[in-house]
Amino acid sequence: MSSGSAVIGPFWGGLESRHAGRYPLSVERHALVQVARLLPGVTTVTPHARYFTLHALVAHEAHRRGLVAAEAQELLRRAEVVLAAITLKHGAHPGMSAPHGADIIRAAMSSGSLDIAQLSRPGTYAQASWGFWGPYRGSESLLGLTKWEASNIAPGVGLKLDEVRVALEPVLDLAAHDVVDNGDLGACLGCCLCGCADAADGRLLRGLLVPTNPDPRSNGGRRSATIRLILRILQLHEVRSVTRDAWPILAYDQSLTDDPLCASLDIADAWRGVVLRNRSVLAWRDLWAELVNSIAGLTTIASLGDVLAEALPSGTIDSYCESLPDVGDRDRLLPAEIDPALVARNVLDRSLALLLLGGSRVQRLPDRVAAYFQDPSEGMQELAPSWVAEWRAEWSARSLPDFARWLVGVLVARSQRIALMKASFSRKSGTFRVPARVFVRDGLIFRDSSESGGAVSLRWDQLTSVMAGAGLCLASRKDEALVWRPTQRGEALLG
Ligand SMILES: [Zn+2]
C-alpha cells in the first residue's frame, strides 16, 4: 500500500484547457451559409485571380512530370515565390493587396537577387507545405482548375492548358533555378498579378467565373448573378470600399430596386436578405464584445447586466422602440439601420436598437428577401430575428433596464452552452478543451482574453479583387481615393 505522500492530484483545475473560440454566441451560421451559397468559388482568403491559374499550371506540370506530393509541393512553393517576386518587382498596384508572403520575399530581394531555393523552404514565405494553395483549394476545385487526388494536387476538368501555359510558363522556367537576379524578374513582368486581366489565363478565369448561360440554380449561375449584381452597383454608383459602400445601396437605394437589370436578378433580393440579417449578426457580436471587454477580474453576472442596463435610456421597451427609425414595409425598405442618430448612439444602445429593428423587419420584407433574411427552419430559435420580435412583444410595457439585465443572463448562459457544445477531449494531453474567452464559476464571470465584434464577411471585397485580377473591374484614383468601376469587359456582362 502506497503512502499518502506519494498520491498526486486530483488536479481538478489542470484537466481543463481553455482557448479563445470563434463565434461565441453562434449567431453567424445563417449568414455564413448564405454567403457561401450565393458566392461559391470566392472566399475571404482568395484575393488574387492569378494564384488560381498558377496553381492550375503547377497541377498540370506536377501531373505531367509524375511528381509525388512532396515534389509537387516544392514546385508549387517555388512558383508562388516567383509570382510574388515578379509582382513586387513590378511595383505598387493600387486597389490590389500584396502577393502572398510579400513581406519576407520583399526583404529577401533587397540583396539584388531572389534565392528561390531558400525562400521556398517549408515555413519560410509560407507556413504550410502546400504554400498558399490551401486557402484557394476549395475555390479552385469548384471552378474546375485543380483538385485533390491521391493526396496530391491534380489538374481540374476546367483547365485549358494552353491558355495558362502561354501566360505563366516563364514562372515555371524561373522556378527551376535556385537563385535568379532581380533583373531576370524584370523580363517577366507580364506574369505579374496585374497581367492576368489582359492575358490568356485571365480569359480562362473569366469564363469559369461567369460561364455562358449557366443554370441559375447552379454554383456557376449564382456566382455569375452575384458578379453581375456587384458590377452593376459599381457602374451605377461611386463605390470606394465595396462591402462598406455597396450593402446599403443594395438594401435601400430605390435606383437599384427600379433598375431593370437588378430587378431581373433574383439574387439581388437574396443578398438584400443576407445584408439586412448581417446587421443583426453585427449587433449581437458588437453587444457581446462590449460586454465581455467590460469584465475586469471576477464579476457577478448581475453587475454585467448593470453594464447594459446603464448604457440604455430608462423607460419601457415600447417607448424605446418608438425612438427607433421606421424600417418601412414590403414595398419600400427604409434605411433604419444606418440612420445617423442611431449610428451615433453608444455601442450597447446601438446594438440593441439594431436587434429590435431586425425583429421588426420579420413581417415586413418582400417574400424573396424574407427567405434569405431568416431561414424558415430558424423559426423561434434563440437570438434569431423572430425570437427578438417575440420578446419585444412580451416585454412591451416593462422596464428596458430590467429587460437588459434579463438579456445579459440569456447571453451568458448561451455562451457557456455554446462553449461546451464545441468542447472536445484531447486524448494526447488528457485535457478537456473548451473554446471560450468567458467562463462562469459559482455565479462569477471572468474572461481570459478580449472579444471582437463585427459583421460576417460578405466576401465582396475579395470578389472585387478577383474580378479586378480577371479584368472585369478596376480601381481608379479620384479625389485622393480609389473608386471601383467595371471595365469594358465587365460592362459587356451587363449587356
Ligand atoms: Zn503588375
Side-chain angles (χ1 to χ4, degrees):
M1 191 173 166
S2 63
S3 69
S5 63
V7 176
I8 300 173
F11 289 110
W12 300 116
L15 292 174
E16 180 185 277
S17 129
R18 305 190 301 257
H19 60 99
R22 296 179 76 196
Y23 309 140
L25 294 179
S26 192
V27 290
E28 300 84 356
R29 185 175 162 73
H30 172 78
L32 289 171
V33 167
Q34 295 305 335
V35 168
R37 191 166 171 279
L38 298 175
L39 184 45
V42 175
T43 73
T44 56
V45 288
T46 61
H48 293 305
R50 209 154 217 183
Y51 280 81
F52 286 80
T53 52
L54 180 71
H55 293 155
L57 179 60
V58 168
H60 176 270
E61 190 65 11
H63 193 67
R64 188 182 70 80
R65 294 190 209 165
L67 302 184
V68 299
E71 294 166 329
Q73 287 167 352
E74 184 181 353
L75 177 63
L76 184 138
R77 292 195 306 265
R78 281 172 168 258
E80 285 191 339
V81 166
V82 170
L83 175 62
I86 290 172
T87 304
L88 293 169
K89 173 78 178 169
H90 199 195
H93 295 83
M96 182 189 285
S97 57
H100 299 301
D103 290 347
I104 288 164
I105 295 170
R106 185 187 291 111
M109 286 169 73
S110 63
S111 67
S113 63
L114 182 72
D115 191 336
I116 299 168
Q118 161 63 23
L119 283 165
S120 64
R121 282 188 187 159
T124 309
Y125 84 101
Q127 290 307 310
S129 49
W130 281 110
F132 287 90
W133 185 45
Y136 286 80
R137 202 168 93 188
S139 297
E140 290 172 13
S141 174
L142 271 178
L143 294 171
L145 283 168
T146 63
K147 62 182 174 183
W148 181 245
E149 191 173 82
S151 301
N152 204 342
I153 190 170
V157 293
L159 172 60
K160 291 178 183 163
L161 180 62
D162 289 348
E163 302 196 357
V164 177
R165 180 182 274 163
V166 71
L168 292 172
E169 188 137 50
V171 174
L172 288 190
D173 292 343
L174 286 172
H177 296 84
D178 283 345
V179 180
V180 296
D181 287 337
N182 287 355
D184 296 334
L185 301 170
C188 302
L189 294 182
C191 296
C192 175
L193 285 182
C194 73
C196 187
D198 294 319
D201 60 329
R203 184 168 66 233
L204 169 68
L205 188 58
R206 284 194 298 278
L208 295 171
L209 287 168
V210 191
T212 309
N213 298 322
D215 177 347
R217 292 162 299 180
S218 67
N219 284 331
R222 290 192 296 272
R223 183 175 53 250
S224 297
T226 294
I227 285 174
R228 294 175 73 209
L229 174 67
I230 298 296
L231 286 172
R232 184 62 166 165
I233 295 174
L234 301 186
Q235 188 181 46
L236 295 176
H237 295 265
E238 187 172 303
V239 171
R240 298 179 180 206
S241 169
V242 179
T243 297
R244 184 198 67 197
D245 298 346
W247 83 257
I249 295 170
L250 175 66
Y252 312 119
D253 201 298
Q254 199 64 29
S255 71
L256 213 66
T257 317
D258 297 340
D259 176 57
L261 175 64
C262 289
S264 74
L265 294 171
D266 286 350
I267 210 148
D269 278 337
W271 276 113
R272 274 190 192 100
V274 174
V275 301
L276 287 171
R277 176 62 178 271
N278 211 14
R279 294 302 96 193
S280 292
V281 174
L282 168 78
W284 283 124
R285 289 170 57 89
D286 279 359
L287 181 85
W288 182 243
E290 191 75 3
L291 286 171
V292 167
N293 297 341
S294 78
I295 298 172
L298 283 171
T299 308
T300 62
I301 296 173
S303 61
L304 193 61
D306 291 341
V307 171
L308 180 58
E310 288 163 12
L312 303 173
S314 56
T316 64
I317 288 267
D318 275 346
S319 63
Y320 184 73
C321 288
E322 282 165 16
S323 76
L324 300 180
D326 184 6
V327 298
D329 55 30
R330 287 167 187 268
D331 298 324
R332 183 80 198 263
L333 305 180
L334 295 176
E337 288 85 353
I338 55 170
D339 184 281
L342 186 139
V343 173
R345 297 184 183 196
N346 72 62
V347 177
L348 294 171
D349 190 358
R350 179 173 72 235
S351 299
L352 188 67
L354 282 175
L355 293 169
L356 285 158
L357 292 176
S360 64
R361 286 213 186 264
V362 171
Q363 300 295 333
R364 299 191 209 176
L365 292 171
D367 290 346
R368 287 194 311 192
V369 178
Y372 287 84
F373 178 69
Q374 178 176 293
D375 191 274
S377 70
E378 291 183 290
M380 286 305 299
Q381 280 186 31
E382 194 176 67
L383 309 197
S386 59
W387 180 87
V388 175
E390 186 74 12
W391 58 244
R392 181 253 175 275
E394 199 171 301
W395 281 78
S396 60
R398 293 162 70 184
S399 148
L400 180 65
D402 285 355
F403 166 74
R405 294 185 180 93
W406 170 79
L407 182 63
V408 169
V410 170
L411 296 182
V412 169
R414 181 178 175 89
S415 76
Q416 301 302 289
R417 276 204 313 279
I418 301 285
L420 286 177
M421 269 170 51
K422 295 187 200 162
S424 59
F425 179 73
S426 166
R427 288 176 184 276
K428 198 172 170 188
S429 62
T431 53
F432 187 53
R433 292 170 48 77
V434 185
R437 299 171 194 271
V438 166
F439 292 86
V440 178
R441 290 275 158 79
D442 302 326
L444 295 172
I445 187 165
F446 61 97
R447 73 178 160 106
D448 284 343
S449 57
S450 296
E451 190 62 78
S452 56
V456 160
S457 170
L458 302 174
R459 307 183 183 176
W460 290 0
D461 293 311
Q462 291 82 7
L463 171 66
T464 307
S465 177
V466 170
M467 289 197 300
L472 293 174
C473 63
L474 56 83
S476 53
R477 199 163 285 285
K478 182 182 177 187
D479 304 333
E480 300 301 308
L482 291 173
V483 175
W484 288 101
R485 299 282 304 164
T487 58
Q488 277 191 342
R489 288 193 200 95
E491 289 188 333
L493 294 178
L494 304 176

